[in-house]
Amino acid sequence: MKKIVYISLAAAAIFLGSCTQDKFEDAYRDPSKVTTTTVPKQFAGFMKINFEDVIPSYWNYYTVIRSTSLTYTQAHGFVNTTGRYIPGAAVNDRWGRYYKFITQYRELEKVMASLSAAEQAENRIYTITSTIYLYDHTAKMVDNFGDIPFSEAGKIGTTGGNYTSASAKYDNQTELYVKILDDLKAFSAELSSIALSAKVDLEFKNQDLINKGDLASWKNYCNSLRLKILNRVSAVPALASRANTEIAEIITEAKIVDENAENIAFRVYTQDTDLDTSGFIDALEGANNNVAPKPMIDHMNANSDPREAWLFEKGQTATVFTGLDPTLTSGVQQQLLVDGKIAVYNRSVISRNKWLPGTLINAAEVNLILAEYYSRNGSGVTAKTYFEKAIRQSIEYYVRLGDKADVLTWKPTAEPTAAEINAYITNINFDGATNAAQRLELIAFQKYIHYNVMQADESWAEQRRLKLPVLIFQEDETSTIRKTPPTRWTYPNSESVYNSDNYNAVKANDNLSTKIFWDVK
């Protein structure tokens, strides 16, 4: 049988049974034996199938982002080995998982289409929220690959198993972003007035793995996702005006993730299911993936960043925090690691914390976007307000991650004081940035710190878009393919083999140097 990952048979991933947050392992029968489903159950199966892309997991961190965005952003320190800037097998893993995910979405569409018009209207909330979640991950795929199969992808279930008919064209990345923005805007309006029947309200709360049926949270998620995407395209000439206009409208409506209590995340509620971060320990601590990066550590040392002890531990033989210098030779780097001189990510708060949330949108991220928006539109004073609020929220965010830590060995014994936080903000000196370019440097560096290993894909997108912070990378002189971090991933080889006609239409751009459409600087 031909292996076409993005049109794989959806029946292998359909989940059945009622679902609650703390009994997920009992909620679904063996998907290979399932022959029927319902909208609520298919909705939960759709959300569950890609949880490892969101909740920190071994699969995603070790097989995908370890060799890609963690390295490309210097979110961690890395040894200068041969081929370090080539994504390699990571593209296959991310590609395959996304197309299993979208196939589940198509099955949800198919089940919805089988209902009467009245039933479709009653269950409309499942279409709205599943599509918001789909678009979040679809935008990330565009950010990594550019053009991707979307509008025709995942439809093997509607073609009676005909693989040829299910072959999917590549959607233009700019047009796909525009569609996402159009639909999200419409969803936001619907969420302001939608009313659920008692039956749907109860089912939706049981099956919603993200917001547990809270419509206000879905509205905040939708608008905050719009905000992020609009900001990402704000320098694209054809979309700049729309970006500014709609960001202003979103700010006026004030239905966004503005406080940490409103953060949108795939949360871990129990250690009794596979929806946890237990594999994150080996993923981050294995193969020196938890090594501290020099630019981040140097900034924290110079400015007394209150997050430092919550994010990092000193090296085993070190008396100060030291990050791994990316300009050193691999031999020197390896020796520093062997000697225990280099700091690592905090094991209590980060890598051995089995309760880490899978972040989708958080308040510090949103307020840094708002700081950037106000700064580029000439309001440095307002930008400062959001910038400083974001820093305070980021500090609170990482301190609170330690609340449920099971291993307390490396957890700091005292939380940052108000005086320490104020001193750090004073040291950053946003007032000293006298123009938009200087302010953007400060904003970009705070994004770099806040995203770190927890949101490395977002960090890579922002660094490519802004060309900030300015990071130094040692060129890989041994590579004939790529000597510096790429600007996109290449497509899996399976595309040229099994989807050749459609692949040939985008083949000219399938290299590590082609920029994503929003990368215009």
Side-chain angles (χ1 to χ4, degrees):
M1 181 183 291
K2 290 184 178 180
K3 182 182 179 184
I4 310 180
V5 295
Y6 58 83
I7 57 173
S8 59
L9 190 59
I14 294 175
F15 300 95
L16 282 182
S18 63
C19 170
T20 61
Q21 293 286 355
D22 59 348
K23 290 295 181 183
F24 203 96
E25 76 281 10
D26 296 325
Y28 297 101
R29 295 181 291 177
D30 182 351
S32 67
K33 300 176 182 179
V34 168
T35 57
T36 62
T37 187
T38 65
V39 167
K41 295 166 187 176
Q42 185 63 31
F43 173 78
F46 158 73
M47 299 185 84
K48 198 264 183 181
I49 197 170
N50 81 325
F51 79 95
E52 288 180 300
D53 285 331
V54 186
I55 293 177
S57 65
Y58 183 88
W59 174 83
N60 192 33
Y61 271 80
Y62 198 85
T63 66
V64 180
I65 68 173
R66 170 181 63 92
S67 58
T68 56
S69 52
L70 288 183
T71 296
Y72 304 158
T73 61
Q74 292 189 29
H76 70 167
F78 56 90
V79 175
N80 288 322
T81 55
T82 298
R84 59 189 175 275
Y85 302 128
I86 302 170
V91 303
N92 302 315
D93 292 314
R94 180 63 62 82
W95 190 269
R97 178 149 322 244
Y98 173 76
Y99 286 104
K100 289 178 182 177
F101 173 64
I102 200 171
T103 297
Q104 284 292 300
Y105 178 81
R106 300 303 182 201
E107 289 300 305
L108 176 58
E109 286 185 316
K110 187 170 73 171
V111 177
M112 184 71 77
S114 71
L115 303 179
S116 68
E119 290 173 320
Q120 288 183 37
E122 184 183 22
N123 287 278
R124 174 66 177 167
I125 189 63
Y126 292 106
T127 294
I128 294 172
T129 54
S130 63
T131 309
I132 291 170
Y133 190 59
L134 173 71
Y135 282 168
D136 192 349
H137 293 281
T138 299
K140 295 180 193 299
M141 286 290 288
V142 172
D143 294 342
N144 283 343
F145 291 99
D147 297 344
I148 60 169
F150 177 77
S151 60
E152 297 178 356
K155 295 188 176 182
I156 188 67
T158 63
T159 64
N162 187 319
Y163 284 92
T164 301
S165 298
S167 294
K169 70 173 184 178
Y170 283 69
D171 289 71
N172 175 274
Q173 57 193 288
T174 307
E175 293 173 0
L176 186 49
Y177 247 60
V178 169
K179 174 179 172 54
I180 289 172
L181 286 171
D182 289 345
D183 289 352
L184 289 177
K185 184 176 182 179
F187 292 151
S188 176
E190 279 194 79
L191 286 168
S192 294
S193 59
I194 194 168
L196 307 186
S197 67
K199 174 179 178 293
V200 169
D201 183 53
L202 178 60
E203 290 176 337
F204 184 53
K205 286 176 179 176
N206 286 336
Q207 307 289 16
D208 179 6
L209 303 180
I210 305 297
N211 293 315
K212 296 193 288 187
D214 189 296
L215 297 185
S217 293
W218 276 104
K219 171 86 171 184
N220 290 344
Y221 181 15
C222 181
N223 278 343
S224 298
L225 181 57
R226 290 175 63 202
L227 193 70
K228 180 170 67 175
I229 294 173
L230 287 164
N231 194 54
R232 192 151 292 162
V233 301
S234 59
V236 178
L239 296 172
S241 177
R242 174 177 183 171
N244 278 334
T245 298
E246 292 193 16
I247 288 175
E249 291 171 354
I250 292 168
I251 292 171
T252 299
E253 188 178 18
K255 301 296 183 181
I256 55 176
V257 177
D258 190 49
E259 303 294 340
N260 277 331
E262 300 166 339
N263 289 347
I264 307 298
F266 209 134
R267 291 178 173 84
V268 176
Y269 294 94
T270 176
Q271 298 298 318
D272 297 330
T273 74
D274 59 353
L275 296 175
D276 61 39
T277 62
S278 58
F280 191 46
I281 299 172
D282 293 332
L284 201 61
E285 294 184 21
N288 293 321
N289 294 326
N290 63 342
V291 171
K294 178 178 170 60
M296 199 177 297
I297 291 293
D298 285 355
H299 168 93
M300 290 179 160
N301 288 341
N303 297 285
S304 300
D305 192 327
R307 289 167 290 196
E308 186 168 46
W310 294 83
L311 279 172
F312 298 104
E313 305 166 30
K314 296 173 184 175
Q316 292 180 349
T317 63
T319 57
V320 296
F321 289 96
T322 303
L324 188 63
D325 189 339
T327 66
L328 299 176
T329 64
S330 59
V332 173
Q333 289 175 320
Q334 289 280 18
Q335 193 60 52
L336 288 169
L337 294 172
V338 170
D339 293 342
K341 301 292 187 183
I342 304 300
V344 297
Y345 273 92
N346 191 293
R347 284 170 283 181
S348 291
V349 179
I350 306 296
S351 60
R352 300 191 184 186
N353 188 344
K354 295 181 181 180
W355 302 94
L356 289 178
T359 298
L360 293 166
I361 294 282
N362 59 58
E365 174 183 15
V366 168
N367 283 307
L368 286 170
I369 291 171
L370 294 179
E372 181 184 339
Y373 164 77
Y374 281 110
S375 179
R376 71 168 172 262
N377 285 287
S379 184
V381 174
T382 307
K384 176 186 176 183
T385 299
Y386 287 101
F387 176 77
E388 294 184 354
K389 182 177 183 179
I391 290 176
R392 295 180 189 279
Q393 289 172 330
S394 180
I395 294 169
E396 179 189 27
Y397 179 79
Y398 285 105
V399 171
R400 296 280 69 83
L401 284 186
D403 286 349
K404 294 185 72 173
D406 296 307
V407 180
L408 303 180
T409 309
W410 304 280
K411 180 181 175 180
T413 56
E415 296 186 7
T417 65
E420 290 169 336
I421 296 171
N422 290 336
Y424 173 68
I425 290 174
T426 299
N427 290 339
I428 298 302
N429 190 21
F430 196 81
D431 286 331
T434 58
N435 56 53
Q438 292 176 356
R439 291 192 293 266
L440 188 58
E441 289 181 12
L442 296 179
I443 293 168
F445 208 95
Q446 287 302 317
K447 289 185 180 184
Y448 168 58
I449 295 173
H450 180 69
Y451 285 143
N452 58 76
V453 295
M454 299 300 293
Q455 292 176 268
D457 285 337
E458 290 299 326
S459 191
W460 188 43
E462 287 298 275
Q463 287 187 25
R464 283 175 289 159
R465 179 178 71 90
L466 297 173
K467 305 299 180 287
L468 292 170
V470 177
L471 301 172
I472 299 173
F473 291 85
Q474 187 86 308
E475 289 192 0
D476 182 3
E477 297 295 348
T478 64
S479 176
T480 59
I481 301 174
R482 188 72 188 182
K483 298 184 184 300
T484 57
T487 53
R488 66 176 289 274
W489 293 2
T490 49
Y491 297 118
N493 289 335
S494 58
E495 284 296 288
S496 62
V497 175
Y498 298 118
N499 193 25
S500 56
D501 289 344
N502 293 308
Y503 170 76
N504 287 337
V506 297
K507 181 179 179 180
N509 293 324
D510 189 20
N511 55 70
L512 296 172
S513 301
T514 298
K515 291 184 176 183
I516 306 302
F517 79 99
W518 44 250
D519 187 356
V520 297
K521 284 194 174 183

